[in-house]
Amino acid sequence: MEIKYFDNAATTKVKKEVLEKMLPYFQEQYGNPSSLYSIGRSAKKAVEEARKKVAQLINCMPNEIYFTGCGSESDNTAIKGVAYANQKKGKHIITSKIEHPAVLHTCQALAKQGFIITYLDVNKEGIIDLEQLRNSIRNDTILISIMFANNEIGTLQPITEIAKIARMYNIVFHTDAVQACGNVPIDVKKMGIDMLSLSGHKLYAPKGIGALYVRNGIEFEKFMDGGHQEKNKRSGTENVPGIVGLGEACELAKNNLNYHMKHLQELRDEYIMQVEEKIPNVKLNGSRQMRLPGNANFSFEGVEGETLLLNLDAKGICASSGSACTSGSSDPSHVLTAIGLPKDIAQSSLRTTFGEENTKEDVQYLVDNLQEIVNNLRKLS
Ligand SMILES: *Cc1c(COP(=O)(O)O)cnc(C)c1O
């Protein structure tokens, strides 16, 4: 059976052009970038070319980009790095209740070490309250970390406004932009962002490569001890093929951004329109306006999210349930709980995230099957 993939927030397929750019760095240009002979130098050159391309996607200097092993490592490095470098100044950190586990669990780990964490609420669309942010700032606040776009409900935060507040109080502002990079325009200089995390496999590059932008002048402690790679901030021999792939994916994302956004938005809006028209008792979770172009998240009242997923899987459809966390527990998602959904509604939710290869026909196939499956499951219950 042909696979219909609507789970691009979980991971994306590596683009052909990206893979092709990577291949020479496995068996031909396989040198260590720290080595001085020619295949070492050419690997080093490829890494620096890729750094420029990543920097161009978010409008920073190439020397403000640090390559990491994944988005989670970027988040850990940013948050722990700033916390440890500033702990004499203060130990208070502000984040939100709907962050990815890579941020939430990092903050929880710091809390065990004596840091104090404020978790901002979100409204029913999943947007933080700027007034609550201002009121949460203390003399000892050293870091604000708020995600650019949520991975479950796709809500976009008022990043420029948050950055303005952080700058006013001289607090470092980090954003987890793993879902946003390549899907919405990002300009760290214009927006006033100090640190930003991104990940290769969410933008058509491979798994196991990430990057962290750190504005020049921001101090952070290194996360990985060892050699002097990445200006002595991230030890470990560079993942040259991964870095080359990420660079290519960023360049393609920058060049295609307008078309890509429009394409995803059309698919998403068609899906939302048809679901609301054809399936009764559904609820769109998140914000209608402030939303990632490719994200839709619906609750289907009276239907168990996991059962829905299994039935969709039988039709070759890949989507994601918003209800269970990755550990397989049946607790409702912390994001859906934070936007005020009761447990049963949260557990009836389905996230579909569209990608560049999806077509209108794919969306039709999805809606038709969804309609039939939801009807059948509701009859049974
Ligand atoms: C996927 C994701 C991450 C983690 O990235 P990895 O590269 O898988 O470690 C972090 N934050 C958000 C918002 C994500 O969607």
Side-chain angles (χ1 to χ4, degrees):
M1 186 174 18
E2 203 191 337
I3 292 293
K4 297 286 185 196
Y5 190 74
F6 304 106
D7 203 12
N8 288 275
T11 196
T12 57
K13 176 171 155 182
V14 174
K15 267 187 191 161
K16 190 162 146 280
E17 300 94 312
V18 169
L19 179 62
E20 276 168 6
K21 280 274 156 89
M22 292 174 63
L23 287 175
Y25 295 93
F26 286 101
Q27 295 196 310
E28 292 152 34
Q29 305 292 334
Y30 54 83
N32 186 321
S34 298
S35 301
L36 295 178
Y37 39 74
S38 71
I39 59 167
R41 291 197 312 268
S42 61
K44 168 96 181 150
K45 189 158 168 267
V47 166
E48 295 316 313
E49 278 305 308
R51 199 185 306 281
K52 273 189 218 157
K53 293 175 179 178
V54 176
Q56 276 164 4
L57 178 63
I58 60 170
N59 191 31
C60 68
M61 305 285 287
N63 70 5
E64 294 174 311
I65 294 291
Y66 300 82
F67 290 114
T68 65
C70 56
S72 301
E73 189 191 321
S74 298
D75 286 338
N76 271 264
T77 305
I79 297 167
K80 289 177 183 161
V82 168
Y84 297 149
N86 290 285
Q87 52 187 329
K88 292 223 171 69
K89 206 175 120 198
K91 290 193 150 194
H92 181 235
I93 295 169
I94 300 174
T95 186
S96 84
K97 287 187 177 165
I98 62 162
E99 298 296 313
H100 187 275
V103 169
L104 280 184
H105 295 170
T106 300
C107 288
Q108 285 162 14
L110 285 172
K112 283 192 194 139
Q113 299 166 34
F115 288 85
I116 299 134
I117 320 288
T118 297
Y119 299 91
L120 298 179
D121 298 316
V122 293
N123 66 14
K124 60 185 197 312
E125 297 193 338
I127 301 173
I128 68 152
D129 177 0
L130 295 172
E131 204 47 47
Q132 193 192 19
L133 169 61
R134 268 189 220 100
N135 293 336
S136 301
I137 292 172
R138 321 186 328 184
N139 287 335
D140 60 344
T141 307
I142 50 170
L143 175 69
I144 296 171
S145 180
I146 305 284
M147 71 199 318
F148 204 114
N150 183 266
N151 45 299
E152 292 186 33
I153 54 174
T155 300
L156 298 161
Q157 299 296 336
I159 293 298
T160 306
E161 286 79 2
I162 297 168
K164 217 174 268 169
I165 293 169
R167 200 61 67 87
M168 193 167 9
Y169 290 91
N170 206 16
I171 299 165
V172 176
F173 173 46
H174 165 255
T175 187
D176 174 341
V178 172
Q179 289 292 333
C181 260
N183 287 318
V184 291
I186 297 180
D187 183 327
V188 293
K189 296 298 167 206
K190 220 187 255 171
M191 295 174 149
I193 298 166
D194 295 320
M195 302 176 103
L196 176 146
S197 303
L198 62 93
S199 173
H201 74 104
K202 306 284 175 78
L203 77 158
Y204 310 97
K207 295 158 188 67
I209 182 68
L212 175 65
Y213 149 76
V214 183
R215 184 165 66 82
N216 282 332
I218 301 286
E219 297 206 20
F220 69 106
E221 254 181 44
K222 69 184 296 188
F223 183 59
M224 186 88 84
D225 287 305
H228 294 295
Q229 293 89 353
E230 299 298 289
K231 294 198 285 175
N232 202 24
K233 286 298 194 184
R234 203 283 186 173
S235 302
T237 301
E238 298 87 341
N239 172 2
V240 179
I243 289 170
V244 168
L246 177 61
E248 179 68 13
C250 286
E251 181 169 70
L252 292 168
K254 183 175 161 59
N255 293 341
N256 299 331
L257 187 59
N258 286 340
Y259 168 78
H260 180 67
M261 284 178 69
K262 190 164 163 281
H263 176 60
L264 295 195
Q265 223 159 316
E266 276 171 13
L267 298 176
R268 177 199 70 188
D269 291 347
E270 178 69 22
Y271 171 74
I272 290 177
M273 194 194 74
Q274 288 208 35
V275 168
E276 292 186 327
E277 195 180 284
K278 295 181 176 168
I279 309 177
N281 301 320
V282 299
K283 183 188 178 304
L284 179 70
N285 298 315
S287 167
R288 263 176 216 272
Q289 274 81 40
M290 298 298 288
R291 178 175 212 109
L292 280 175
N295 174 295
N297 186 313
F298 273 108
S299 290
F300 297 90
E301 209 187 301
V303 176
E304 226 276 307
E306 303 276 287
T307 316
L308 186 53
L309 275 192
L310 292 177
N311 280 273
L312 288 167
D313 180 41
K315 300 285 182 185
I317 294 171
C318 307
S320 162
S321 115
S323 62
C325 71
T326 38
S327 68
S329 96
S330 66
D331 286 343
S333 112
H334 67 287
V335 177
L336 299 177
T337 304
I339 61 172
L341 293 196
K343 192 173 172 186
D344 57 323
I345 300 292
Q347 281 173 335
S348 74
S349 78
L350 181 78
R351 177 187 75 182
T352 44
T353 43
F354 303 102
E356 61 156 15
E357 287 196 348
N358 288 136
T359 62
K360 281 214 158 149
E361 289 71 38
D362 292 345
V363 171
Q364 201 56 57
Y365 181 79
L366 170 64
V367 172
D368 292 346
N369 281 288
L370 199 53
Q371 189 179 13
E372 188 181 322
I373 292 167
V374 169
N375 271 342
N376 288 341
L377 290 177
R378 279 179 177 165
K379 263 183 229 151
L380 289 175
S381 67

